[in-house]
Amino acid sequence: MNKGKFILSIVLIGVLCVTGCQREKEVKEHKELGWSVDTMPPEYISETINENFIIDADVCVLPGFEQGTADVLNVEMDTFNRKAVTDVLTENNVIISEEKEKYEDGTTSLYYELSNGDHLYISDRFVSYTSALSEYIFYCTRLAYGQVGENREVFEATETDFAYCSIEEAEKTGADLLERLGIPVYESSRYKLRLHHEVLKQEEDPIVMEGLADEYNPKSKGEWTSADDSYYFEFYQTVDGCGIIPEVYTPESTRVYTPLPVKMILNEEGIVEISSDSRWVCRGIIEKEQPLINFQTALDMLKKKYEHVITEDLLEVEKIELGYAGLREGVEDGWENHMIAAPVWVFRIKSTTRMYGNDITSSYLVIFDAITGKEIL
């Protein structure tokens, strides 16, 4: 299939204001805020803080935050337009079966089986399109919660694009498709990988042979060919044109919420898999053009947090992001639709503990309000 054919084939306000007033008071205490040429964030940082604390991280400033200012928004998790989603994702197929389920809260979900064997699931706040190939890829890439797992580096080693189109062309096609689905994303993806069929085969064998079959019950595809060569993307959702950092959470509370990244796998035949959480829509501006804490200030706050921490664990900052997160301040029910979209600095940290001769790793986040400088716990 040529490149052209590939492209064509895919083809509460009062409550929030009270919180805003408190934030305004905190902002006045940070008159030094704002960016200059000297304080622009780097794209990458490598630094050793001490023998147990290192930084080896990409620094990602999401679209809408590059100038060092941002609005604070009143946002709402919106429902998907089911007809639009169904029309787009089934335009080259026939629906052969349909199941509808209604839940206690009054919401419903629809499950479709398509003529080519693919499946489409749509609820108010989630869309999933899967194929037979996506199930096999799931196990080969250790996919969990929408992200490529611990063997991501194996796929990153493949740097040659596939013959049917470049990874940039596939990325643009994916972003355009998501726009048709009513899912606003930043066109430059968060992660992009080339899933070469030989590497997929290489990664499949240990899973089937080394006991993971009992836990995940994977099926062996057996033969992998160039027809299975696929591109994997994770896209940032946007609201009001600005990027949302995915998977921002606070383990001890429900104060912070952001969606999973929008995941997409494409190959020469078209869609292999799509999954997306509910989109955000802006219902009003609470604070306009607030100055943001610059990168060095945020980094200094992280260092100060750990300067007196004594640990034998190895702490490594792997990724640093600036963008929107949803704050549920003033919302009694942690799963309410409304929230404040506020800019935050997020440090993603991997902790490695040596236990019984083995390295045990875990990950957690340190989150700072990018306007007030206050850590969000």
Side-chain angles (χ1 to χ4, degrees):
M1 183 180 292
N2 60 33
K3 294 181 180 179
K5 188 175 180 183
F6 167 76
I7 299 297
L8 290 173
S9 70
I10 304 209
V11 172
L12 340 174
I13 299 293
V15 173
L16 297 176
C17 286
V18 170
T19 307
C21 293
Q22 176 62 33
R23 291 172 52 86
E24 182 178 352
K25 179 180 178 181
E26 293 172 343
V27 170
K28 290 178 180 179
E29 299 173 359
H30 292 265
K31 295 181 180 180
E32 76 280 12
L33 300 181
W35 292 0
S36 65
V37 174
D38 296 334
T39 56
M40 291 295 290
E43 294 182 357
Y44 170 80
I45 180 172
S46 179
E47 184 176 341
T48 299
I49 309 304
N50 57 52
E51 61 180 6
N52 287 337
F53 187 19
I54 64 174
I55 301 173
D56 185 21
D58 291 326
V59 181
C60 184
V61 176
L62 273 60
F65 301 89
E66 304 93 335
Q67 303 304 314
T69 64
D71 297 338
V72 178
L73 307 176
N74 170 18
V75 299
E76 181 179 4
M77 291 188 291
D78 200 12
T79 58
F80 289 105
N81 184 325
R82 299 189 183 194
K83 183 179 186 308
V85 171
T86 303
D87 288 347
V88 171
L89 294 181
T90 64
E91 60 187 359
N92 296 320
N93 278 294
V94 177
I95 297 174
I96 61 175
S97 69
E98 174 183 336
E99 295 181 16
K100 184 175 182 179
E101 187 169 357
K102 187 172 183 178
Y103 304 101
E104 292 181 359
D105 61 1
T107 61
T108 59
S109 64
L110 296 172
Y111 179 83
Y112 299 106
E113 182 178 357
L114 309 182
S115 56
N116 65 349
D118 294 353
H119 298 89
L120 172 62
Y121 172 88
I122 309 174
S123 68
D124 285 350
R125 296 175 184 163
F126 189 75
V127 169
S128 172
Y129 183 101
T130 57
S131 63
L133 179 59
S134 67
E135 181 178 359
Y136 296 117
I137 290 177
F138 176 93
Y139 300 114
C140 296
T141 56
R142 321 289 204 272
L143 285 168
Y145 303 107
Q147 288 191 299
V148 168
E150 71 273 9
N151 65 342
R152 184 174 66 215
E153 293 81 3
V154 176
F155 294 96
E156 290 176 338
T158 301
E159 298 180 348
T160 303
D161 290 343
F162 304 126
Y164 57 86
C165 81
S166 70
I167 195 168
E168 289 79 14
E169 288 172 311
E171 182 179 42
K172 177 65 165 60
T173 299
D176 290 345
L177 173 60
L178 292 171
E179 184 177 355
R180 293 178 62 199
L181 295 175
I183 304 172
V185 298
Y186 182 39
E187 63 182 16
S188 180
S189 56
R190 183 173 184 243
Y191 288 123
K192 49 189 171 186
L193 298 173
R194 301 166 181 88
L195 306 182
H196 193 283
H197 67 279
E198 292 180 356
V199 182
L200 288 166
K201 172 61 178 174
Q202 166 193 309
E203 293 301 296
E204 178 188 61
D205 290 341
I207 295 177
V208 176
M209 301 299 294
E210 294 180 7
L212 289 179
D214 294 335
E215 183 177 355
Y216 296 108
N217 193 31
K219 301 174 183 177
S220 173
K221 189 175 187 300
E223 183 179 2
W224 291 84
T225 70
S226 59
D228 302 316
D229 290 340
S230 304
Y231 291 114
Y232 171 93
F233 302 101
E234 291 176 17
F235 289 95
Y236 288 104
Q237 284 201 48
T238 62
V239 60
D240 204 31
C242 299
I244 305 167
I245 306 177
E247 298 181 296
V248 179
Y249 56 89
T250 47
E252 302 303 323
S253 70
T254 58
R255 286 190 61 206
V256 181
Y257 167 82
T258 62
L260 294 171
V262 180
K263 185 183 71 174
M264 177 178 287
I265 303 175
L266 305 174
N267 68 6
E268 188 174 9
E269 295 301 317
I271 304 169
V272 177
E273 182 174 347
I274 295 176
S275 65
S276 176
D277 277 353
S278 60
R279 56 189 182 166
W280 289 8
V281 292
C282 177
R283 299 304 188 197
I285 297 176
I286 300 173
E287 301 170 16
K288 190 170 182 62
E289 296 183 355
Q290 295 296 311
L292 305 180
I293 291 172
N294 63 52
F295 171 75
Q296 188 59 52
T297 300
L299 185 61
D300 289 344
M301 291 190 299
L302 179 75
K303 293 177 181 178
K304 184 176 181 180
K305 174 181 173 68
Y306 286 96
E307 65 181 351
H308 300 302
V309 174
I310 300 175
T311 178
E312 295 183 357
D313 296 347
L314 174 62
L315 304 179
E316 180 181 357
V317 180
E318 296 187 300
K319 194 176 186 69
I320 304 170
E321 296 168 294
L322 171 64
Y324 275 135
L327 306 184
R328 299 184 184 278
E329 298 176 69
V331 180
E332 293 182 5
D333 183 349
W335 296 105
E336 283 286 346
N337 294 343
H338 295 82
M339 67 192 85
I340 298 171
V344 296
W345 280 104
V346 174
F347 293 83
R348 299 185 185 270
I349 301 176
K350 180 175 71 174
S351 175
T352 303
T353 304
R354 193 72 175 172
M355 185 177 296
Y356 305 114
N358 297 313
D359 287 338
I360 309 299
T361 63
S362 59
S363 298
Y364 63 95
L365 309 180
V366 175
I367 310 165
F368 296 108
D369 187 312
I371 296 176
T372 67
K374 183 179 179 180
E375 183 178 0
I376 300 173
L377 300 172

